[in-house]
């Protein structure tokens, strides 16, 4: 599917009544979902006005929120002039901003998008409609672009590598894990712990959906280059390492038995390798001439079994945590069942 084809489909969808207006029967206007567009922002003076205008046009019934994260330029003034509701989060980092947004805003459907004007606003109604009609919890906007500068080879490779790691461990249901363009249900947002502080928050979002086996979907959306004067805050190496570290921590927390079993296997293998010549010598001569090696081998094996025991215990703890998160998730109505019936952000 080419970018132009996706663009035409989204444009046709944008010409129809918005999902917020058409999701309910005409006899019950209160059934229309409350939609909130959430835009985390840091020094995006050159791009934010276009983002706000485009999403207000694509989703005319939605409230557009811009959460400023200590911008030193005119981001706040420009966003207000474009018609956005502007709020502030002093803790630096995208994850901190998203935690604040998810806590503050009340809505049925949440559209999350970066403020750099690289994502396709006309795709938003299609994504919202898909989530609402199919009662999904997340619709991911997979980036499609023919512009090399917009999606650099280093970022593309890193995304595939990290997405592949998460798919191998948690399930292969998302092809673009690091996309900043997503639509969420209320029950996703209000059951999401939001522990990350930076760009690794996208990894948390994906793993949260996969761990609870939420109904999710992915829609391809055009992706474009930043406008002149706008600069990326993403550092390929630094943020890639942070995302990789987040994946390792999530494996430890959500898959403790495989994680600690791998440590056990490594320690046990090292112990056996060290012990083999000591045992062979003992069987041949009845002596243990390399006592330090024997002690080291014994210590490694003990540490290995200690790691395995930790994995078994933490696996039971993790099961309890997962059940608690699942019960919290189930306590919130599914999309299209019982809208909040109030103004977004109230």
């Amino acid at each position: 599917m080419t970018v132009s084809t996706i663009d035409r489909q989204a444009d046709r969808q944008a010409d129809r009544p918005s999902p917020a207006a058409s999701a309910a029967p005409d006899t019950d206007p209160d059934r229309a979902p409350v939609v909130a567009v959430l835009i985390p922002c840091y020094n995006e003076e050159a791009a934010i006005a276009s983002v706000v205008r485009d999403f207000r046009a694509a989703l005319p019934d939605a409230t557009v929120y811009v959460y400023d994260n200590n911008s030193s330029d005119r981001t706040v003034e420009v966003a207000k002039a474009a018609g956005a509701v502007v709020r502030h989060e002093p803790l630096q980092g995208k994850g901190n901003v998203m935690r604040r947004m998810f806590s503050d805003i009340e809505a049925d459907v949440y559209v999350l998008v970066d403020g750099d004007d690289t994502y396709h606003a006309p795709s938003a109604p299609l994504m919202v409609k898909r989530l609402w009609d199919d009662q999904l919890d997340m619709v991911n906007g997979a980036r499609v672009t023919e512009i090399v500068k917009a999606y650099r080879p280093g970022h593309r490779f890193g995304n595939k590598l990290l997405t592949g790691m998460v798919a191998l461990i948690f399930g292969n249901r998302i092809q673009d894990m690091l996309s900043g363009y997503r639509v969420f249900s209320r029950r996703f947002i209000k059951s999401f712990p939001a522990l990350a502080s930076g760009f690794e928050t996208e990894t948390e979002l994906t793993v949260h959906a996969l761990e609870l086996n939420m109904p999710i979907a992915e829609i391809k959306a055009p992706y474009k280059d930043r406008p002149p004067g706008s600069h990326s805050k993403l550092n390929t190496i630094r943020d890639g390492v942070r995302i990789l570290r987040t994946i390792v921590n999530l494996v430890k927390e959500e898959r403790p038995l495989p994680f600690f079993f791998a440590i056990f296997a490594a320690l046990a293998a090292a112990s056996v390798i060290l012990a083999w010549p000591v045992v062979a010598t003992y069987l041949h001569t009845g002596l243990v001439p390399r006592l330090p090696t024997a002690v080291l081998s014994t210590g490694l094996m003990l540490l290995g079994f200690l790691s395995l025991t930790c994995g078994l215990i933490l696996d039971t703890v993790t099961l309890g945590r997962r059940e608690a998160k699942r019960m919290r998730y189930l306590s919130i109505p599914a999309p299209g069942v019982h809208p909040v019936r109030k103004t977004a952000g109230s």
Side-chain angles (χ1 to χ4, degrees):
M1 183 179 292
T2 64
V3 172
S4 60
T5 303
I6 298 170
D7 214 351
R8 287 196 299 272
Q9 290 178 349
D11 289 340
R12 285 198 299 270
Q13 179 65 33
D15 292 336
R16 302 173 187 170
S18 70
S22 63
D26 294 338
T27 57
D28 187 11
D30 288 339
R31 289 286 293 155
V34 176
V35 180
V37 179
L38 309 181
I39 309 174
C41 220
Y42 173 64
N43 285 345
E44 294 292 359
E45 176 185 352
I48 191 61
S50 177
V51 177
V52 173
R53 286 195 300 265
D54 289 349
F55 276 88
R56 291 187 66 195
L59 297 169
D61 295 327
T63 303
V64 178
Y65 295 90
V66 170
Y67 270 70
D68 177 63
N69 195 207
N70 303 314
S71 295
S72 57
D73 59 7
R74 296 182 60 255
T75 295
V76 172
E77 293 85 346
V78 173
K80 286 181 178 179
V85 177
V86 178
R87 296 180 179 177
H88 304 272
E89 172 49 54
L91 291 177
Q92 197 67 39
K94 185 176 181 180
N96 291 322
V97 179
M98 287 173 55
R99 185 184 306 113
R100 180 69 179 273
M101 292 190 300
F102 292 173
S103 300
D104 290 355
I105 305 302
E106 298 292 336
D108 295 305
V109 178
Y110 299 78
V111 180
L112 176 68
V113 64
D114 291 340
D116 54 10
D117 196 24
T118 57
Y119 292 100
H120 189 242
S123 296
L126 181 64
M127 296 169 69
V128 172
K129 180 174 174 58
R130 177 72 182 276
L131 179 132
W132 192 254
D133 289 351
D134 295 349
Q135 293 188 321
L136 304 177
D137 287 306
M138 182 178 76
V139 176
N140 190 53
R143 293 167 287 184
V144 177
T145 183
E146 298 163 2
I147 306 173
V148 176
K149 187 178 178 181
Y151 197 6
R152 299 197 296 271
H155 290 177
R156 194 184 299 267
F157 172 76
N159 187 18
K160 287 184 177 180
L161 176 64
L162 296 170
T163 299
M165 292 178 61
V166 169
L168 181 65
I169 299 168
F170 296 101
N172 187 16
R173 301 174 63 194
I174 293 292
Q175 303 302 313
D176 187 3
M177 181 188 72
L178 301 183
S179 173
Y181 192 17
R182 307 186 188 212
V183 175
F184 302 102
S185 69
R186 175 180 173 78
R187 64 180 180 178
F188 183 105
I189 294 299
K190 299 305 180 181
S191 66
F192 177 59
L195 301 176
S197 61
F199 285 104
E200 65 272 21
T201 188
E202 278 94 357
T203 305
E204 272 195 332
L205 290 167
T206 301
V207 172
H208 180 62
L210 297 177
E211 271 296 274
L212 294 185
N213 293 318
M214 293 182 182
I216 61 177
E218 192 167 54
I219 291 178
K220 293 183 179 180
Y223 187 70
K224 58 183 178 179
D225 195 13
R226 283 172 169 267
S230 176
H231 304 285
S232 175
K233 318 306 184 298
L234 181 66
N235 182 288
T236 305
I237 303 299
R238 182 196 64 205
D239 291 303
V241 170
R242 292 183 66 177
I243 293 169
L244 181 60
R245 185 176 61 195
T246 299
I247 293 174
V248 173
N249 286 333
L250 287 170
V251 173
K252 176 176 65 70
E253 294 168 4
E254 303 295 342
R255 297 285 193 275
L257 186 54
F259 181 85
F260 286 99
F261 181 82
I263 297 176
F264 159 75
L267 291 172
S271 175
V272 170
I273 292 172
L274 290 172
W276 181 256
V278 176
V279 172
T281 301
Y282 174 77
L283 293 175
H284 183 68
T285 65
L287 301 174
V288 183
R290 289 186 287 181
L291 183 61
T293 302
V295 173
L296 176 60
S297 174
T298 303
L300 290 176
M301 186 60 75
L302 290 174
L303 287 175
F305 276 100
L306 179 61
S307 176
L308 181 61
T309 303
C310 290
L312 291 169
I313 295 172
L314 291 176
D315 190 62
T316 303
V317 175
T318 299
L319 177 61
R321 289 176 51 246
R322 190 177 301 128
E323 290 173 346
K325 287 194 292 184
R326 183 71 183 177
M327 295 306 295
R328 170 58 182 165
Y329 164 78
L330 292 175
S331 69
I332 304 170
V337 178
H338 299 293
V340 294
R341 302 189 183 188
K342 61 177 73 174
T343 304
S346 61

